[in-house]
Amino acid sequence: MGHEYALDWLDQMVNELDPQRTEPESFDDCETMAIVEKAAKEEKRLILLFKQFVFQDQKTRQIRNSVNHYLSAAVSLMTVASKNLNQIPTRANNFRLALESVFLCLQDVTAFIVHRYRNLVDRDMSLSMVSIDPGPHDLRKQEKCDVMKCNPKLSELVTKAFSDVFFDRRGGEITMRKLDFWDSVSRGVTYADGSLEVTEPFDRLELIMIERNFNSPLFVKYLTSKLSEQIKNSTDPNLVVQDLAFLQKTFNQIPVMSDLIFSNEFDDLSLTINAWFIQEIAFQSKRSSIDLTEPSEQPQKSGKKYERKTSDKILCNLTVDQLSLFFKAADMSNIISARSLSAIFHSVAPYLSTPHRTDISHGSLRVKSYSIEERDKTLLIEIMIKLTEQIKDL
């Protein structure tokens, strides 16, 4: 497309049709019809232009950059146009009609770009202003299918989460990531039949949502409540830990689809549920050991008032703040890497202790990584300098 700015006329119209900069009621019929006709021609021109992207001998990366550049610009123009439409006086019908034709042109062009270049669109770009039809993956129309009817509680939770995004607009901005997620869920529900192997104790709908990384806090609560009920119904209290370990193994054997996630705001479903398993197994193990203790048996008094049980942990002479800063810097510089920084904290927290904290939670490391103080930066740099000198002496 060279150096041409394809949205030049639309950009000009959005800025000129600003009710704060002109007199909306002075617009006559001729001016209005000229803009309406031009908008219709512009829509055809732009769609033809964007169709030709693939014939311009460009690399995929160049096409991706162009697609996202124009899509982002068009979304920004629609946002301004929508704001201007809400400020037009009631009697300024011609002005409103002119601006609406420009807005609809932008809406149709962006819808075409999203549909045509779906795999190239930035997965986290806001598409809330784009005309997107959720009909093809509307879960509300599938509430009566077998997989949904067999689990009404989860079916209601999933349908509400879908509606929050596309209808009630309480689920944040619509993005390509969310479109892909719900499209996959809809296809999973539609084609879930006898061929979908059920892994006890999970039913088909649960498997569909676990496979697609439905990391909603409500689904986490649903799953942990169900797993807790499974343990409560255990026939032998002495086998609770074994039952938990079996459930964890079963959960971890469920395949997870790559690049699908309900929300980037929360940890992966697998991380959260496995953290729950670890805590629950530790709790049940401790409770079992207490239950097995003889009532008459008295604990031996220790000469020390406090005894720190860190024999199975690495003692770090750093604070929790400094540890979080260290791992964050190591992650950003690719010295260590994992699926996410949270995954790193999940992995290392159980094995670390400090002079002041016997147990460190991954949550505290994550929270500290958001608010880093200059004093901790300075102290950690000094420690790293000492470490550098030590390496030189080796």
Side-chain angles (χ1 to χ4, degrees), residues 171-197:
E173 299 284 352
I174 297 175
T175 64
M176 188 58 70
R177 191 181 301 279
K178 291 181 181 178
L179 282 173
D180 288 343
F181 174 82
W182 288 111
D183 181 55
S184 178
V185 171
S186 178
R187 284 186 280 108
V189 169
T190 302
Y191 300 109
D193 51 24
S195 62
L196 179 62
E197 185 177 350

Side-chain angles (χ1 to χ4, degrees), residues 51-152:
K51 279 182 180 179
Q52 295 172 349
F53 267 0
V54 292
F55 303 111
Q56 294 181 2
D57 196 27
Q58 297 186 82
K59 295 180 180 179
T60 302
R61 179 177 58 82
Q62 293 173 316
I63 298 175
R64 178 183 288 107
N65 289 341
S66 295
V67 164
N68 286 294
H69 167 70
Y70 280 107
L71 185 57
S72 177
V75 168
S76 296
L77 289 175
M78 281 193 292
T79 302
V80 176
S82 177
K83 180 181 177 182
N84 289 346
L85 281 168
N86 292 329
Q87 296 175 347
I88 298 175
T90 307
R91 296 179 181 179
N93 292 326
N94 282 335
F95 191 91
R96 183 182 301 279
L97 181 60
L99 186 53
E100 282 179 346
S101 68
V102 172
F103 181 83
L104 290 173
C105 173
L106 283 164
Q107 201 169 48
D108 290 342
V109 170
T110 52
F112 172 82
I113 295 174
V114 169
H115 177 73
R116 180 79 172 223
Y117 300 101
R118 182 179 186 123
N119 293 333
L120 300 179
V121 173
D122 183 347
R123 290 168 61 77
D124 295 309
M125 181 189 296
S126 172
L127 303 179
S128 296
M129 296 297 297
V130 180
S131 179
I132 294 173
D133 179 19
H137 47 262
D138 191 348
L139 288 171
R140 301 176 306 174
K141 298 177 182 178
Q142 299 177 334
E143 290 179 321
K144 294 183 179 179
C145 68
D146 291 341
V147 70
M148 299 286 271
K149 284 195 300 182
C150 289
N151 192 336

Side-chain angles (χ1 to χ4, degrees), residues 295-313:
S296 59
E297 185 180 347
Q298 296 296 325
Q300 295 182 356
K301 293 184 179 180
S302 173
K304 298 179 180 179
K305 189 173 182 180
Y306 300 102
E307 183 178 358
R308 180 169 292 144
K309 299 177 181 179
T310 58
S311 58
D312 58 340
K313 296 188 178 185

Side-chain angles (χ1 to χ4, degrees), residues 227-228 231 239-250 276-277 280-282 284-285:
L227 294 168
S228 295
I231 300 306
L239 296 178
V240 169
V241 173
Q242 183 177 325
D243 292 341
L244 275 168
F246 176 77
L247 287 172
Q248 184 179 19
K249 183 177 178 63
T250 303
W276 179 86
F277 272 121
E280 191 68 17
I281 289 172
Q284 295 293 348
S285 297

Side-chain angles (χ1 to χ4, degrees), residues 124 165 169-175 177-178 213-218 220 260-269 271-272 339-343 346 362 366-367 370:
D124 295 309
V165 174
R169 298 300 173 96
R170 291 180 299 202
E173 299 284 352
I174 297 175
T175 64
R177 191 181 301 279
K178 291 181 181 178
N213 200 359
F214 185 39
N215 61 340
S216 161
L218 293 177
V220 170
L260 281 182
I261 189 171
F262 168 70
S263 174
N264 281 334
E265 295 179 12
F266 311 112
D267 287 336
D268 285 356
L269 179 66
L271 282 175
T272 306
R339 187 182 181 92
S340 65
L341 182 58
S342 291
H346 266 283
H362 67 273
R366 184 174 57 186
V367 170
Y370 296 143

